[in-house]
Amino acid sequence: MKDDITLFLAIEKMMQEQMLMHHGKLVVKDVDLAAIYDVKITDLRTKIRRNISRFPSDFMIETGKGEYALTEPGILMLGGLLKSERARRAHMQFIEYFVHLLNENGVSVLDIIKISHNEL
């Protein structure tokens, strides 16, 4: 339970500090997600490439040289594809985080996080 709370707080911090605006979409870089999911960035990118049909343009943006930025639905899609115990726990905490925002504020993370200085 304590580990889940710590993970939830790490996700909340990452979402507040690492979320970027890219062509009007709020996204998180794949490298930041790899850190939360505790997977190698090369493995995460391979998982995305092998499942590219699950990531339409409103889920993910390819930012160049095989790097990706994922939107809220893309983050959830990715988490469902990863197999490690840490990734499973992180995926559940992302769901809890997004549901918490929706229930507390009546809006999604895309509506309440204000980005002024982070532009991809």
Side-chain angles (χ1 to χ4, degrees):
M1 179 74 166
K2 183 180 176 187
D3 289 341
D4 288 342
I5 292 169
T6 302
L7 185 54
F8 184 88
L9 294 174
I11 288 169
E12 183 175 49
K13 182 177 185 202
M14 182 203 63
M15 295 300 284
Q16 291 172 353
E17 296 177 2
Q18 303 301 324
M19 197 159 233
L20 306 165
M21 182 69 75
H22 183 72
H23 296 290
K25 294 181 182 181
L26 289 169
V27 296
V28 177
K29 290 181 183 180
D30 58 0
V31 68
D32 296 321
L33 291 168
I36 289 290
Y37 286 124
D38 195 26
V39 297
K40 294 178 187 174
I41 188 62
T42 53
D43 294 343
L44 186 137
R45 289 175 179 161
T46 298
K47 184 66 79 173
I48 290 172
R49 282 192 302 275
R50 288 183 179 162
N51 293 277
I52 199 70
S53 65
R54 295 178 185 231
F55 294 94
S57 62
D58 57 330
F59 281 33
M60 182 195 71
I61 299 161
E62 189 165 359
T63 61
K65 297 183 182 175
E67 298 172 354
Y68 301 100
L70 291 97
T71 63
E72 183 178 339
I75 292 168
L76 295 176
M77 179 60 74
L78 176 63
L81 295 173
L82 300 172
K83 302 295 184 201
S84 73
E85 178 61 23
R86 165 68 181 220
R88 184 193 63 76
R89 287 181 37 249
H91 179 61
M92 290 171 49
Q93 292 304 312
F94 269 116
I95 292 169
E96 290 286 337
Y97 177 75
F98 293 137
V99 168
H100 171 75
L101 289 178
L102 186 61
N103 289 337
E104 288 293 312
N105 303 296
V107 293
S108 77
V109 66
L110 302 178
D111 296 322
I112 65 169
I113 295 178
K114 304 295 182 205
I115 306 298
S116 60
H117 63 284
N118 289 335
E119 185 76 27
L120 183 63

